[in-house]
Every structure is written in C-alpha cells, then in structure tokens.
Amino acid sequence: MKTSRILLLFAIFASFIGPVSCSQQPELSSALQPNPDLESEAEKSYEDLIIGYAQIGAESEWRAANTISIRETAEQLGVELRFLDAQQKQENQIEAVRKFIVQKVDVIGISPIVETGWDEVFQEAKDAGIPIILVDRRAAVPEDLYVSYLGSDFLEEGRNAARVMAKLVNGQANIVELVGTIGSAPANDRYTGFREILKEYPGMQIIASQSGDFTRARGREVMADFLKAYENTITAVYAHNDDMALGAIQAIEEFGLRPGVDIKIVSVDAARGAFEAMIAGKLNATVECNPLLGPQFFELALDVVNDKPVPKWVPSIETIFFPEDAKEILPTRKY
Ligand code: AHR
C-alpha cells in the first residue's frame, strides 16, 4: 500500500512537473529572441513614415510655395509622402482623407479649405487610430479630433494689416476689402482682426467688401467692379493675400489710377510678387504669412508617431515688410 501510494504520488508529481517544464521551454528560448512587442515600441525614424497630405489646390503663389516645401522636405528626409491636390473643393479633401484612412498611413496632414464640415471625417480618422495634423489652416472641430495645428495667427495678421494701413492713411480712408475664400480660417480671421483695430480709427471705413477667392484673376475682377461702383472715392485696398492685391493693382492701372499712390494697398503673405510690386511703388506693405511649413510638419508627425507630446498649436514666426526694404530683402525671399 505504502509503495503504491509513493508511486502514485511520484506519478502525480511527474505529471505536474513535466508539462510545466515543457511549457517553459519555449518561454525560455523566446526570452533570448527579440521581443516583437518591444521591437514595435522602438522609435521610428523619418524613413519609416508614411504620410498622407490633403492639399487645398494651387490658388496662389503662397500655396505653390507651401506645396513645394511639403514635397521637397519629404524627399530630403526620406518620408513616403502620399500627396493629393483637392483642386479647391472640400469634397475632394474629404475623399482624400478617406483614401488615406484606407491606406492606413501613419499621419494625415491637411490644410482645410474652409473651417467647418470636418467632424465626421476627422472622427473616422480618429477611430482608425490615424492622427490628424492641421497645417496652415484651422478647422472648427473639437480639440480631440486633431493632434496639433501648425500655422499662422491669422487674426494678428488682420490686426497688423489695419495698424499698417492706419499709419499709411493717417487714420482717414475709404477702404475696399478683397476677402479670401469664404468660410476659410484666414479669410474669417483676417476679416475680424482688421475690424478690431479699425474701431480705434473712426476716420477709416470699409465701404465695400467682397471675396476674390485668394486668386489674382478674381482680385482683378472684383476690384474693377469696386472701381466702377465707387470710382475715385476709394482711397485704400485691404487684400487678404498678395495675389488678390496684384490683381487689384492691374485693375487700378486699367482704370487710370496709380496703385500705391492714389490708392494705398496693404496685403498679406509677403510672396516675391509682392516685393516686386513694392519695389515698383505699387504696393505699400505686406504682412508676412509663412508657407514654408514642411520641416516643422514632418518633425511634428515624427513626434506624434513616437508618442511624444506635441503642442496643440505651433505658431509661425512672421513680420511685416515695407517698400523701403523690399529691394534688399527680395533676393533672400524663398517664395
Ligand atoms: O491659408 C493661407 C492663405 O491661403 C494664404 O494667405 C493665401 O495666399 C493662400 O491661398
């Protein structure tokens, strides 16, 4: 009895030890192998990134420079960039974001053409675990739907344009305004910021305001209409970008007046075309809006995929340029 009990205990002990030691075998050997979980936690580099970028289109000199900056930086860093041009249509940008979600890119960059209408598609990206970085333009969405906004303070640009204009016209002007794309963040904020400062100058009034859609062609057409309607009463133009100001300059000349002299003009962007116009005495000032966002964008994207904390807003550093410095500065301008 005693012996059989001992044998039984031994059998139980052996059957208990056996499987444990066997099952431990792979665990021990796998400890010597690279752990796939730990591997996936290793920091990613630029060469590992796949980035989707939903660009607005090619409406201005500014936008062309912005696109070049994104494309060239991706190439220099070795990032795989999937770039889609929405040709000024929000529905195309939404479709682009959906394509990037299907493609499972690491990060989506987007310059939203207008501020509203993004909640649904940004939520889809969030649900798919794909972070969104807003570049250049904000979107009116809850903060949890994007990781960061990289771009300008458009309100301050509008305020600066008004401050500069007030000095130019000694606080007395009949202003016509060429507004950017209706519903876009820069048009909304440049409109509001300009008016904020104008409250301090009762002698300055906006007599007409219309969208020129940020393009040179529309700027020219709208300015020609303003001149037909208000003739010589117009003393100043506030253009939300340089392209529309350049279009307005053409219209003013065609009307037989001297842009920059008979009608003072202030615009936003500080693109090369604006410097040339300032040198020619046809534009009185341009408030800078920096399109060269490629390097900061990819740095942000890399931080995001590596789970590093990123600021909710990375503002661009910008200034104001005047004709007296234009000749010296033009050769240094990259856009
Ligand atoms: O969003 C930036 C604005 O878009 C620029 O001021 C304008 O030129 C561009 O088209």
Side-chain angles (χ1 to χ4, degrees):
M1 272 297 272
K2 246 183 173 178
T3 316
S4 61
R5 199 178 285 166
I6 288 166
L7 280 174
L8 180 68
L9 280 173
F10 180 77
I12 291 170
F13 180 73
S15 70
F16 180 67
I17 288 295
V20 170
S21 59
C22 276
S23 73
Q24 272 176 349
Q25 215 47 31
E27 268 176 41
L28 280 173
S29 64
S30 73
L32 301 172
Q33 305 283 326
N35 182 335
D37 288 343
L38 288 178
E39 260 202 339
S40 69
E41 278 165 24
E43 272 214 1
K44 287 198 175 182
S45 66
Y46 285 119
E47 288 84 1
D48 301 318
L49 293 187
I50 301 177
I51 304 285
Y53 198 93
Q55 181 60 290
I56 293 174
E59 75 281 5
S60 61
E61 213 179 323
W62 190 101
R63 187 67 50 201
N66 179 245
T67 292
I68 290 171
S69 175
I70 301 288
R71 283 189 186 279
E72 281 186 357
T73 312
E75 214 177 302
Q76 283 157 13
L77 297 174
V79 171
E80 183 178 334
L81 177 68
R82 309 207 176 146
F83 186 95
L84 290 174
D85 178 334
Q87 304 188 340
Q88 314 302 131
K89 290 202 175 87
Q90 182 175 29
E91 60 266 33
N92 291 349
Q93 270 192 312
I94 290 174
E95 205 185 305
V97 172
R98 292 206 166 112
K99 272 191 190 146
F100 296 143
I101 294 171
V102 171
Q103 292 172 11
K104 296 187 168 57
V105 300
D106 295 310
V107 174
I108 295 172
I110 180 168
S111 301
I113 182 162
V114 290
E115 283 195 84
T116 54
W118 301 102
D119 297 65
E120 196 183 326
V121 73
F122 284 10
Q123 184 65 54
E124 289 168 27
K126 190 180 176 194
D127 294 345
I130 301 176
I132 293 217
I133 297 178
L134 303 176
V135 186
D136 154 41
R137 294 188 185 181
R138 289 181 189 279
V141 291
E143 285 209 342
D144 65 307
L145 292 187
Y146 65 95
V147 287
S148 188
Y149 162 60
L150 162 66
S152 306
D153 185 342
F154 297 133
L155 259 182
E156 193 56 17
E157 289 171 355
R159 292 187 195 117
N160 280 336
R163 289 180 186 121
V164 167
M165 178 75 87
K167 277 199 185 149
L168 272 171
V169 299
N170 282 325
Q172 299 290 326
N174 286 331
I175 306 162
V176 293
E177 181 184 31
L178 294 165
V179 177
T181 301
I182 294 294
S184 69
N188 290 343
D189 290 356
R190 288 171 191 168
Y191 180 98
T192 306
F194 192 80
R195 281 163 178 75
E196 259 179 41
I197 301 299
L198 233 55
K199 282 186 200 143
E200 298 163 24
Y201 298 93
M204 292 171 70
Q205 46 278 319
I206 299 169
I207 57 171
S209 172
Q210 202 180 308
S211 173
D213 210 12
F214 282 130
T215 68
R216 201 168 296 201
R218 284 295 295 146
R220 183 181 170 189
E221 279 168 25
V222 174
M223 188 66 210
D225 291 345
F226 284 159
L227 285 162
K228 248 185 243 155
Y230 300 95
E231 299 188 328
N232 296 332
T233 53
I234 301 171
T235 58
V237 173
Y238 166 40
H240 285 199
N241 81 341
D242 289 340
D243 283 78
M244 292 189 295
L246 295 175
I249 287 171
Q250 248 183 295
I252 294 168
E253 286 178 329
E254 283 157 9
F255 193 74
L257 292 172
R258 292 167 302 167
V261 181
D262 300 320
I263 297 181
K264 304 289 185 202
I265 308 173
V266 173
S267 63
V268 185
D269 275 358
R272 290 179 69 85
F275 281 81
E276 282 154 8
M278 286 197 290
I279 293 167
K282 298 177 182 183
L283 179 72
N284 303 92
T286 181
V287 176
E288 189 179 31
C289 177
N290 183 13
L292 308 177
L293 302 172
Q296 281 171 292
F297 168 62
F298 290 109
E299 202 182 319
L300 262 177
L302 189 62
D303 283 348
V304 168
V305 299
N306 284 324
D307 286 329
K308 293 193 179 156
V310 293
K312 210 68 200 181
W313 179 17
V314 183
S316 327
I317 297 158
E318 294 162 351
T319 183
I320 307 170
F321 296 102
F322 297 94
E324 46 273 33
D325 311 311
K327 215 169 186 172
E328 197 189 323
I329 293 171
L330 177 60
T332 69
R333 294 303 285 168
K334 297 203 171 64
Y335 66 100

